Amino acid sequence: MTQNTRVAAVSAVDYSPELIGQKIDQALELLGGLGQFVQPGDRVLLKPNMLEGLLSECAVTTHPEVVRSMIRQVRQSGATPVVGDSPGVSGTLKTAEKCGIFAVCQQENAELVPFEHSVEYPYPDGRVLKKFYLTDVLGRVDKVISLAKMKTHSFMGMTGATKNLFGCIVGVQKAQFHLRTQQRRDFAGMLVDLALLVKPVLSIVDGVTGMEGNGPRNGRPIHSGVILAGANPFAVDIVMAEMMGFRLEELPVASLSLELGLTPAFDAIELVGEARHVRHQFISPRSMQSLEDRVPAWFAKGARSQLTARPLVQPNCNGCGRCVAHCPPQAMHLAAGVAQIDDARCIRCYCCQELCPANAIRLQRGWLLKLAQRFMK
Ligand code: SF4
Ligand code: SF4
């Protein structure tokens, strides 16, 4: 991973195409130009966050204008852009159509590649897993650029440049990774390894409109007016956390990458650009500040219900069954047209809350977590 930890932060008030084009250009210039990362003849994968096919106003997916701007930038540098992701639900093309990325790819004549097939990537140095199964598209490109969204995340606290790469795992195989890394610290370790394996040459974060609260899908859009760019995804995430008003100890990916020396602390990052002083206080997800990371693993397993937030199905559940289909340990089922959770089998991954189209999963904190949060404020 690159030792270049400069991060550019530029302001953008809205998604008008000219403005986003200028601002992305400005951010790249602050990093020395795209030529630092991409060479003529390269085939470059642009990996946006395409969690679900929702309108860009919902702030669930990377805005199509950010994708458009990067397609143009890559092409101007003499390389070939391709755009791809594996959404949380539904296929790549359908999702891209709904969130506007399909139209942008068509208008810019850029290839949109669905992530459908996986290949094994051995990773003997892995902290948690020694091999990954990732999209075969990675084997057909020279460079990867992460186009993330500035959002909260029920399980990891926030999703940015590093977490965005989880979309390189194809479709329902994501559930297997949740099953194999059930504790927050293990899942975070897996994400850090994944970023080290995929090695994005550049990470851009679309924070013009971010998401606060119960992200990454069911939170609230928040105008944050910033675009971040940097060669080191961990450093970009440290800056993003600071701008969202979160403490690193609440964010297992950011705190682990700092602990491992993969990024300097915020104060030591070379932060450039007119938006470097931007600060917000994003509302955190209800699951934030899980105590699981702070106690021994054997205790965390036994006392999980009190150390974490518990998912509860609300009366507005419409029985669509999406959560049942995506629950990694199959701890959910439908009864009388309503989702039910077997709490004993629930691993607190919050995929159900993340993917529910009716926002019908509420997260209720255990009493120990509530008590601790009083003192953690
Ligand atoms: S909880 Fe949400 S995802 Fe699950 S069945 Fe109900 S509406 Fe569908
Ligand atoms: S019930 Fe929800 S939080 Fe629990 S394991 Fe299933 S998807 Fe994860």
Side-chain angles (χ1 to χ4, degrees), residues 311 326-329 331-332 341 345-352:
H326 288 86
C327 174
M332 305 185 78
I341 298 174
R345 294 176 69 186
C346 171
I347 60 171
R348 305 297 201 256
C349 65
Y350 308 127
C351 293
C352 50

Side-chain angles (χ1 to χ4, degrees), residues 313-323 334 336-339 356-360:
V313 180
Q314 299 303 293
N316 60 321
C317 167
N318 61 25
C320 70
R322 183 187 280 184
C323 56
L334 289 178
V338 174
C356 176
N359 197 7

Side-chain angles (χ1 to χ4, degrees), residues 7-312:
V7 175
V10 297
S11 304
V13 288
D14 59 39
Y15 287 108
S16 62
E18 305 78 40
L19 180 72
I20 295 299
Q22 282 167 17
K23 292 298 176 174
I24 293 272
D25 194 50
Q26 185 187 338
L28 295 177
E29 282 306 313
L30 287 166
L31 299 176
L34 189 58
Q36 301 286 319
F37 313 103
V38 167
Q39 279 68 53
D42 280 346
R43 193 170 150 84
V44 180
L45 172 66
L46 299 174
K47 159 65 183 79
N49 182 325
M50 283 202 277
L51 174 64
E52 188 179 344
L54 293 165
L55 295 177
S56 56
E57 292 75 21
C58 301
V60 169
T61 53
T62 306
H63 198 280
E65 290 306 330
V66 173
V67 179
R68 184 198 305 280
S69 172
M70 283 308 297
I71 289 172
R72 291 182 177 178
Q73 287 281 349
V74 168
R75 203 165 266 146
Q76 275 164 25
S77 68
T80 304
V82 296
V83 179
D85 189 18
S86 171
V89 287
S90 191
T92 307
L93 299 182
K94 214 170 171 182
T95 303
E97 265 177 31
K98 290 190 181 160
C99 70
I101 290 177
F102 182 84
V104 159
C105 288
Q106 281 210 318
Q107 289 155 12
E108 299 296 325
N109 197 22
E111 189 185 354
L112 179 64
V113 282
F115 291 0
E116 288 172 337
H117 306 290
S118 300
V119 289
E120 185 182 311
Y121 284 80
Y123 192 62
D125 296 335
R127 247 163 297 279
V128 193
L129 306 175
K130 301 296 179 196
K131 61 184 169 191
F132 282 83
Y133 293 92
L134 305 175
T135 170
D136 60 351
V137 172
L138 292 175
R140 302 200 298 272
V141 296
D142 303 296
K143 306 277 169 60
V144 176
I145 296 180
S146 176
L147 301 183
K149 188 80 176 165
M150 184 184 272
K151 294 190 292 181
T152 50
H153 191 274
S154 295
F155 191 33
M156 290 288 100
M158 68 171 202
T159 169
T162 311
K163 171 71 178 60
N164 183 41
L165 299 171
F166 192 54
C168 292
I169 296 167
V170 177
V172 292
Q173 287 186 344
K174 294 184 185 77
Q176 292 304 316
F177 283 80
H178 275 290
L179 279 178
R180 292 165 70 194
T181 54
Q182 295 184 14
Q183 295 216 340
R184 268 164 51 104
R185 58 186 136 209
D186 289 340
F187 194 78
M190 180 274 294
L191 290 176
V192 167
D193 284 345
L194 178 59
L196 292 171
L197 179 61
V198 173
K199 291 191 189 72
V201 291
L202 180 66
S203 297
I204 308 270
V205 174
D206 163 15
V208 181
T209 302
M211 176 176 282
E212 63 178 0
N214 288 325
R217 184 203 186 278
N218 286 313
R220 224 172 40 185
I222 170 172
H223 178 73
S224 29
V226 65
I227 292 173
L228 301 176
N232 181 318
F234 306 113
V236 171
D237 282 350
I238 294 273
V239 171
M240 188 177 107
E242 179 77 16
M243 290 183 165
M244 294 168 87
F246 292 151
R247 293 185 309 214
L248 288 194
E249 59 269 27
E250 300 165 339
L251 306 167
V253 175
S255 50
L256 179 63
S257 61
L258 188 61
E259 187 186 313
L260 295 172
L262 297 167
T263 169
F266 175 74
D267 290 341
I269 290 173
E270 188 191 358
L271 185 54
V272 294
E274 83 273 6
R276 63 188 180 280
H277 301 301
V278 164
R279 296 292 181 277
H280 295 278
Q281 186 55 63
F282 277 45
I283 296 168
S284 56
R286 280 185 73 80
S287 54
M288 193 99 136
Q289 298 172 341
S290 156
L291 295 179
E292 265 192 313
D293 310 345
R294 300 170 186 227
V295 298
W298 60 268
F299 183 68
K301 206 168 178 190
R304 177 173 271 165
S305 61
Q306 294 310 328
L307 298 170
T308 60
R310 175 185 179 189
L312 295 173

